[in-house]
Amino acid sequence: MFLCKRTPDAPDLPLPARQTPLAAGLDLHANVHEEVCIKKGARRLIPTGICIALPPGYEAQVRPRSGLAFRFGVTVLNTPGTVDADYRGELCVLLANLGEEDYIVRRGDRIAQLVIARVEMGALTEVAELPESERGSGGYGSTGV
């Protein structure tokens, strides 16, 4: 079960919700009390008025909304941002304005989406050597364009 609650200053904001039945992401809304201007090239941390509780083995990923990115150049800076299962504070979204003009965030604007996903709780074991692979240590761009 995935639980959420509104912060005391957000009783009027919608809960995170899908806009279509098969959408993966739940829209997050801006919990701002005055308009927030994100200057072009700048970033701002925007609260959502939502706290969540996830069971062990799950995470929530904060991702950009494609319409904001396409129309205005506004994206989530640390995408996807990970919300761990043991975090109980208010979800905030680090918006970055990569567009050509300043961007205004208003109360209730849909600013990001939240995708809940299973996560493997693996652990690393230190070894002296790693097994060989076809790629080896080839890094960025090593497999071509």
Side-chain angles (χ1 to χ4, degrees):
M1 181 181 308
F2 309 115
L3 305 174
C4 73
K5 75 170 194 171
R6 292 180 175 99
T7 58
D9 64 340
D12 59 315
L13 293 178
L15 292 174
R18 291 174 176 79
Q19 296 303 303
T20 63
L22 298 180
L26 304 156
D27 283 346
L28 293 172
H29 299 264
N31 182 28
V32 295
H33 299 283
E34 296 177 4
E35 291 183 350
V36 174
C37 178
I38 306 175
K39 300 277 188 193
K40 61 182 179 179
R43 60 190 178 273
R44 295 288 297 267
L45 192 61
I46 307 295
T48 67
I50 296 295
C51 303
I52 62 173
L54 301 173
Y58 285 86
E59 68 165 330
Q61 299 173 0
V62 180
R63 299 182 183 183
R65 293 193 63 239
S66 59
L68 286 182
F70 178 68
R71 291 183 188 94
F72 305 105
V74 174
T75 189
V76 176
L77 191 56
N78 63 322
T79 191
T82 295
V83 181
D84 296 310
D86 58 352
Y87 178 67
R88 297 295 183 267
E90 182 177 10
L91 302 183
C92 293
V93 178
L94 184 56
L95 288 181
N97 183 356
L98 307 177
E100 299 296 320
E101 299 178 10
D102 295 350
Y103 183 77
I104 303 296
V105 177
R106 295 174 179 85
R107 183 167 187 77
D109 284 355
R110 293 183 295 152
I111 57 170
Q113 56 184 325
L114 190 70
V115 175
I116 298 171
R118 289 185 187 272
V119 62
E120 183 65 38
M121 301 300 287
L124 296 176
T125 300
E126 185 177 14
V127 295
E129 294 293 328
L130 296 175
E132 295 294 322
S133 74
E134 184 177 328
R135 183 175 182 177
S137 61
Y140 292 101
S142 67
T143 61
V145 178

